Amino acid sequence: MCLILTSGSTSSGAGDVMYRIIDEAGETLAHGINIKPGKPVVIGVIKGVPIIGLPGNPSSALLIFNEFVAPFLRKSLGAEVGIRKTEAGILSTTLRSEGRQQLLPVGLVRGRVYPADRGSGAITSLSEADGFIEIPPETEFMEAGTPVEVTLFGEVEKPDLLIAGGFCPGLDVLEDLTGLRFRTLYTGSSGGFSVIAAGTADIAGVNMPSRYSEGRKETLPGEILYNTPTIENMGLSRVVLIKGYRREVGLLVKQDSQISGLESLPGKRLINRNRGSGTRAILEMKIEELAEKKGISKKRVD
């Protein structure tokens, strides 16, 4: 048996040529399937040889290969199709789907299932996943606590601790010292609070700033508090806050740059941190303070 298997150039854009090649040299049997990720699959025949064009995005290509191509190859070669290993779990967070069949990469920690999807273009979606769940097209909403069945990616080494939140260089050292296996989700500080609230993660690295509040006797006007107000606002009563690092936060500029601080930012372009990041939140606060000081709109500083 012969099979041509390609990856990439399968969409309908001006630069995508796989389906055109198949049309010119043979016959296209299907172009696009109602599934996520992996919609732009192209299937055809050229001179009697089947050809399957996988999407170029890593997660899409790997999931479609695992779901459709690998079983087809085993069956064609007379090998055992194989029994899929599945494990039951409880969804740890609410999910919204898009009205089409979805294969969602997920992690599984002590029976809790959490999304490990960072988009079909991110190879880390699968490197951090233990398997996937199938979401049928008629399902648009799945509540946290819903029982789900996880199709495992072979033999899965389950972690001892799930750690979320911001990046922490000390985690590698801690993992070596304890001998435990960590699974780390870099979700930003706000995401760290969310997974702690959902009961998914064991530890979250967070640095979420909040402004001074009139109701707080222990703070002064203009003072910024970290983490405690967020814990109180979210009603996280069964958590322990452990102080970690002190760090300096600043702007990274060229050596010969004329930018010397936030006052130099108006009219300049800034590459910011991702939404949900504590570092981004503190920058937003400082920009607001600068705008107040200058008596101008925050948008003019941005």
Side-chain angles (χ1 to χ4, degrees):
M1 173 194 170
C2 182
L3 168 70
I4 298 175
L5 189 65
T6 68
S7 177
S9 198
T10 60
S11 294
S12 302
D16 296 310
V17 298
M18 272 311 304
Y19 70 97
R20 295 191 181 98
I21 292 173
I22 297 174
D23 279 342
E24 291 175 7
E27 178 186 4
T28 298
L29 303 178
H31 186 198
I33 56 177
N34 190 29
I35 196 168
K36 178 186 177 182
K39 181 179 179 181
V41 172
V42 58
I43 303 171
V45 178
I46 297 178
K47 295 182 179 179
V49 177
I51 177 168
I52 300 176
L54 298 173
N57 286 329
S59 292
S60 297
L62 290 169
L63 277 168
I64 293 299
F65 181 87
N66 183 73
E67 184 74 359
F68 299 108
V69 181
F72 169 73
L73 291 175
R74 292 192 188 99
K75 184 176 180 181
S76 300
L77 296 172
E80 292 185 8
V81 175
I83 300 174
R84 290 188 173 189
K85 294 183 178 180
T86 62
E87 191 165 328
I90 299 294
L91 199 60
S92 64
T93 185
T94 297
L95 295 177
R96 292 186 180 276
S97 189
E98 299 182 2
R100 70 175 189 257
Q101 184 82 11
Q102 185 173 359
L103 306 177
L104 180 68
V106 295
L108 182 64
V109 179
R110 296 187 296 278
R112 305 284 291 183
V113 178
Y114 60 90
D117 185 23
R118 295 189 178 184
S120 57
I123 188 63
T124 51
S125 289
L126 294 186
S127 68
E128 297 171 355
D130 297 313
F132 64 90
I133 60 173
E134 296 188 42
I135 304 177
E138 63 272 13
T139 300
E140 297 182 0
F141 183 84
M142 295 180 71
E143 291 186 351
T146 301
V148 293
E149 184 177 73
V150 180
T151 300
L152 300 176
F153 293 137
E155 295 294 333
V156 174
E157 292 187 354
K158 297 179 181 178
D160 299 302
L161 289 175
L162 178 63
I163 302 174
F167 172 73
C168 173
L171 289 177
D172 291 339
V173 177
L174 185 61
E175 188 172 15
D176 291 339
L177 290 174
T178 61
L180 299 174
R181 183 181 293 112
F182 292 176
R183 173 76 55 77
T184 308
L185 300 176
Y186 295 119
T187 61
S189 292
S190 62
F193 278 113
S194 296
V195 293
I196 286 291
T200 304
D202 301 293
I203 302 171
V206 292
N207 64 318
M208 187 56 68
S210 298
R211 281 190 180 280
Y212 160 82
S213 173
E214 293 289 347
R216 293 182 174 275
K217 297 179 180 179
E218 71 275 17
T219 59
L220 299 173
E223 188 175 356
I224 293 176
L225 293 177
Y226 282 86
N227 301 322
T228 304
T230 305
I231 291 173
E232 294 173 354
N233 292 336
M234 295 182 69
L236 302 179
S237 59
R238 299 181 63 186
V239 300
V240 176
L241 180 63
I242 300 173
K243 290 184 178 181
Y245 306 99
R246 287 184 176 274
R247 62 180 181 175
E248 293 183 354
V249 180
L251 301 174
L252 186 64
V253 299
K254 292 181 179 179
Q255 190 170 4
D256 58 349
S257 173
Q258 300 301 310
I259 297 175
S260 58
L262 294 183
E263 293 81 1
S264 309
L265 285 183
K268 305 295 191 300
R269 180 173 294 181
L270 171 71
I271 300 176
N272 208 342
R273 289 294 307 275
N274 57 292
R275 294 188 184 278
S277 162
T279 308
R280 177 167 178 151
I282 189 67
L283 177 61
E284 294 285 343
M285 289 183 180
K286 292 299 182 181
I287 288 176
E288 286 176 4
E289 289 176 8
L290 177 62
E292 266 182 44
K293 179 180 177 182
K294 291 182 172 292
I296 61 177
S297 166
K298 176 176 174 291
K299 290 183 178 180
R300 288 183 60 188
V301 181
D302 291 342

